[in-house]
Amino acid sequence: MIYLACAAIAYLIGSFCASIPLSKKLYGADIRTKGSGNAGATNMARVYGMKAGAVTFALDAVKTMAAMLIGAHLGGQTGEAIAGAFCVVGHCFPIYFGFRGGKGVSVGAALGFMTHPLAFCIIMAVFFTVAMLGRKVSLASMTAAAALPLAAWVTNAGRMLVVMCIFSALLVIFMHRSNIIRLVSGTEPDFSPKKFN
């Protein structure tokens, strides 16, 4: 029952996708009707500027850390790992917003931080290296996601946290399936954020 509670609480917390209320309140439109149609930090940056993207990233990271701390308090490392996994699920399929959310990248980054600060540094280094070389945020996101389980293992994270990272990586990559098709066909656009806030 404790682990079910960890999963349920984390899913409900994860379902709060910051970009949706932010875009409606500050810009008068649901971010899911703009740009790529995704409710994530990258699309917020693309449509409304880097400041909007950074705020979205920070809020999504905070909710992830809160969910995992609650999970750890209730069920130890296993509860923490379950909470992290279900926070990602909630972010991608939010119950509050018709199950149309983000792609789990911001949440995945926060999972890395909660797993181990060095793991977070590793995946961020991978992300920015790939992004700068290829200018494809989708590719950078998937590469960083794929690096997360390895980073968790290298930093001696517990077994359940490594399993959580594997689950998160697979879900993030799955959520980018349309980007994969565009990358293969050569039609994936470069990332170009708006200059205004």
Side-chain angles (χ1 to χ4, degrees), residues 72-88:
H73 177 73
L74 294 177
Q77 188 179 92
T78 298
E80 182 182 15
I82 291 171
F86 275 86
C87 190
V88 181

PDB file of all heavy atoms in Angstrom, residues 72-88:
ATOM      1  N   ALA A  72      10.583   8.956  -0.990  1.00  0.00           N
ATOM      2  CA  ALA A  72      11.658   8.504  -0.111  1.00  0.00           C
ATOM      3  C   ALA A  72      11.206   8.494   1.345  1.00  0.00           C
ATOM      4  O   ALA A  72      11.548   7.585   2.111  1.00  0.00           O
ATOM      5  CB  ALA A  72      12.886   9.391  -0.279  1.00  0.00           C
ATOM      6  N   HIS A  73      10.438   9.510   1.727  1.00  0.00           N
ATOM      7  CA  HIS A  73       9.938   9.591   3.101  1.00  0.00           C
ATOM      8  C   HIS A  73       8.981   8.436   3.413  1.00  0.00           C
ATOM      9  O   HIS A  73       9.021   7.854   4.505  1.00  0.00           O
ATOM     10  CB  HIS A  73       9.231  10.925   3.318  1.00  0.00           C
ATOM     11  CG  HIS A  73       8.610  11.074   4.673  1.00  0.00           C
ATOM     12  ND1 HIS A  73       9.355  11.268   5.818  1.00  0.00           N
ATOM     13  CD2 HIS A  73       7.303  11.040   5.072  1.00  0.00           C
ATOM     14  CE1 HIS A  73       8.550  11.348   6.855  1.00  0.00           C
ATOM     15  NE2 HIS A  73       7.302  11.211   6.438  1.00  0.00           N
ATOM     16  N   LEU A  74       8.155   8.101   2.438  1.00  0.00           N
ATOM     17  CA  LEU A  74       7.152   7.059   2.666  1.00  0.00           C
ATOM     18  C   LEU A  74       7.719   5.648   2.517  1.00  0.00           C
ATOM     19  O   LEU A  74       7.358   4.749   3.278  1.00  0.00           O
ATOM     20  CB  LEU A  74       5.979   7.239   1.698  1.00  0.00           C
ATOM     21  CG  LEU A  74       5.117   8.488   1.872  1.00  0.00           C
ATOM     22  CD1 LEU A  74       4.049   8.547   0.776  1.00  0.00           C
ATOM     23  CD2 LEU A  74       4.456   8.505   3.242  1.00  0.00           C
ATOM     24  N   GLY A  75       8.581   5.461   1.533  1.00  0.00           N
ATOM     25  CA  GLY A  75       8.987   4.094   1.208  1.00  0.00           C
ATOM     26  C   GLY A  75      10.458   3.883   0.959  1.00  0.00           C
ATOM     27  O   GLY A  75      10.831   2.922   0.267  1.00  0.00           O
ATOM     28  N   GLY A  76      11.314   4.758   1.480  1.00  0.00           N
ATOM     29  CA  GLY A  76      12.749   4.569   1.298  1.00  0.00           C
ATOM     30  C   GLY A  76      13.168   4.706  -0.168  1.00  0.00           C
ATOM     31  O   GLY A  76      12.490   5.368  -0.956  1.00  0.00           O
ATOM     32  N   GLN A  77      14.262   4.061  -0.522  1.00  0.00           N
ATOM     33  CA  GLN A  77      14.768   4.200  -1.893  1.00  0.00           C
ATOM     34  C   GLN A  77      13.807   3.611  -2.916  1.00  0.00           C
ATOM     35  O   GLN A  77      13.656   4.158  -4.007  1.00  0.00           O
ATOM     36  CB  GLN A  77      16.134   3.545  -2.033  1.00  0.00           C
ATOM     37  CG  GLN A  77      16.779   3.841  -3.386  1.00  0.00           C
ATOM     38  CD  GLN A  77      18.146   3.218  -3.519  1.00  0.00           C
ATOM     39  OE1 GLN A  77      18.283   2.101  -4.003  1.00  0.00           O
ATOM     40  NE2 GLN A  77      19.167   3.948  -3.085  1.00  0.00           N
ATOM     41  N   THR A  78      13.150   2.512  -2.561  1.00  0.00           N
ATOM     42  CA  THR A  78      12.180   1.933  -3.489  1.00  0.00           C
ATOM     43  C   THR A  78      11.019   2.899  -3.711  1.00  0.00           C
ATOM     44  O   THR A  78      10.578   3.099  -4.847  1.00  0.00           O
ATOM     45  CB  THR A  78      11.656   0.588  -2.959  1.00  0.00           C
ATOM     46  OG1 THR A  78      12.745  -0.328  -2.845  1.00  0.00           O
ATOM     47  CG2 THR A  78      10.601   0.004  -3.902  1.00  0.00           C
ATOM     48  N   GLY A  79      10.543   3.518  -2.650  1.00  0.00           N
ATOM     49  CA  GLY A  79       9.473   4.503  -2.779  1.00  0.00           C
ATOM     50  C   GLY A  79       9.913   5.703  -3.598  1.00  0.00           C
ATOM     51  O   GLY A  79       9.145   6.241  -4.407  1.00  0.00           O
ATOM     52  N   GLU A  80      11.157   6.114  -3.408  1.00  0.00           N
ATOM     53  CA  GLU A  80      11.713   7.233  -4.176  1.00  0.00           C
ATOM     54  C   GLU A  80      11.762   6.903  -5.664  1.00  0.00           C
ATOM     55  O   GLU A  80      11.397   7.728  -6.514  1.00  0.00           O
ATOM     56  CB  GLU A  80      13.105   7.560  -3.662  1.00  0.00           C
ATOM     57  CG  GLU A  80      13.763   8.730  -4.362  1.00  0.00           C
ATOM     58  CD  GLU A  80      15.167   8.993  -3.852  1.00  0.00           C
ATOM     59  OE1 GLU A  80      15.735   8.105  -3.160  1.00  0.00           O
ATOM     60  OE2 GLU A  80      15.720  10.068  -4.154  1.00  0.00           O
ATOM     61  N   ALA A  81      12.208   5.689  -5.975  1.00  0.00           N
ATOM     62  CA  ALA A  81      12.313   5.273  -7.370  1.00  0.00           C
ATOM     63  C   ALA A  81      10.938   5.154  -8.019  1.00  0.00           C
ATOM     64  O   ALA A  81      10.735   5.584  -9.170  1.00  0.00           O
ATOM     65  CB  ALA A  81      13.054   3.941  -7.459  1.00  0.00           C
ATOM     66  N   ILE A  82       9.992   4.594  -7.299  1.00  0.00           N
ATOM     67  CA  ILE A  82       8.623   4.484  -7.822  1.00  0.00           C
ATOM     68  C   ILE A  82       8.044   5.868  -8.067  1.00  0.00           C
ATOM     69  O   ILE A  82       7.416   6.125  -9.102  1.00  0.00           O
ATOM     70  CB  ILE A  82       7.739   3.678  -6.847  1.00  0.00           C
ATOM     71  CG1 ILE A  82       8.168   2.209  -6.835  1.00  0.00           C
ATOM     72  CG2 ILE A  82       6.261   3.810  -7.214  1.00  0.00           C
ATOM     73  CD1 ILE A  82       7.506   1.382  -5.754  1.00  0.00           C
ATOM     74  N   ALA A  83       8.278   6.769  -7.117  1.00  0.00           N
ATOM     75  CA  ALA A  83       7.774   8.134  -7.263  1.00  0.00           C
ATOM     76  C   ALA A  83       8.383   8.821  -8.481  1.00  0.00           C
ATOM     77  O   ALA A  83       7.688   9.502  -9.247  1.00  0.00           O
ATOM     78  CB  ALA A  83       8.063   8.932  -6.000  1.00  0.00           C
ATOM     79  N   GLY A  84       9.672   8.637  -8.680  1.00  0.00           N
ATOM     80  CA  GLY A  84      10.318   9.247  -9.843  1.00  0.00           C
ATOM     81  C   GLY A  84       9.739   8.733 -11.141  1.00  0.00           C
ATOM     82  O   GLY A  84       9.453   9.508 -12.062  1.00  0.00           O
ATOM     83  N   ALA A  85       9.548   7.422 -11.211  1.00  0.00           N
ATOM     84  CA  ALA A  85       9.003   6.818 -12.434  1.00  0.00           C
ATOM     85  C   ALA A  85       7.594   7.317 -12.718  1.00  0.00           C
ATOM     86  O   ALA A  85       7.261   7.664 -13.862  1.00  0.00           O
ATOM     87  CB  ALA A  85       9.013   5.296 -12.308  1.00  0.00           C
ATOM     88  N   PHE A  86       6.753   7.384 -11.697  1.00  0.00           N
ATOM     89  CA  PHE A  86       5.369   7.791 -11.914  1.00  0.00           C
ATOM     90  C   PHE A  86       5.233   9.295 -12.093  1.00  0.00           C
ATOM     91  O   PHE A  86       4.249   9.764 -12.689  1.00  0.00           O
ATOM     92  CB  PHE A  86       4.477   7.283 -10.786  1.00  0.00           C
ATOM     93  CG  PHE A  86       4.015   5.874 -11.018  1.00  0.00           C
ATOM     94  CD1 PHE A  86       4.805   4.800 -10.632  1.00  0.00           C
ATOM     95  CD2 PHE A  86       2.817   5.618 -11.669  1.00  0.00           C
ATOM     96  CE1 PHE A  86       4.405   3.489 -10.876  1.00  0.00           C
ATOM     97  CE2 PHE A  86       2.406   4.318 -11.927  1.00  0.00           C
ATOM     98  CZ  PHE A  86       3.200   3.246 -11.528  1.00  0.00           C
ATOM     99  N   CYS A  87       6.205  10.061 -11.626  1.00  0.00           N
ATOM    100  CA  CYS A  87       6.202  11.494 -11.914  1.00  0.00           C
ATOM    101  C   CYS A  87       6.415  11.721 -13.411  1.00  0.00           C
ATOM    102  O   CYS A  87       5.780  12.589 -14.013  1.00  0.00           O
ATOM    103  CB  CYS A  87       7.288  12.191 -11.097  1.00  0.00           C
ATOM    104  SG  CYS A  87       7.204  13.992 -11.160  1.00  0.00           S
ATOM    105  N   VAL A  88       7.305  10.927 -14.005  1.00  0.00           N
ATOM    106  CA  VAL A  88       7.523  11.020 -15.454  1.00  0.00           C
ATOM    107  C   VAL A  88       6.246  10.648 -16.207  1.00  0.00           C
ATOM    108  O   VAL A  88       5.860  11.311 -17.171  1.00  0.00           O
ATOM    109  CB  VAL A  88       8.681  10.102 -15.909  1.00  0.00           C
ATOM    110  CG1 VAL A  88       8.892  10.228 -17.410  1.00  0.00           C
ATOM    111  CG2 VAL A  88       9.957  10.434 -15.180  1.00  0.00           C
TER     112      VAL A  88
END
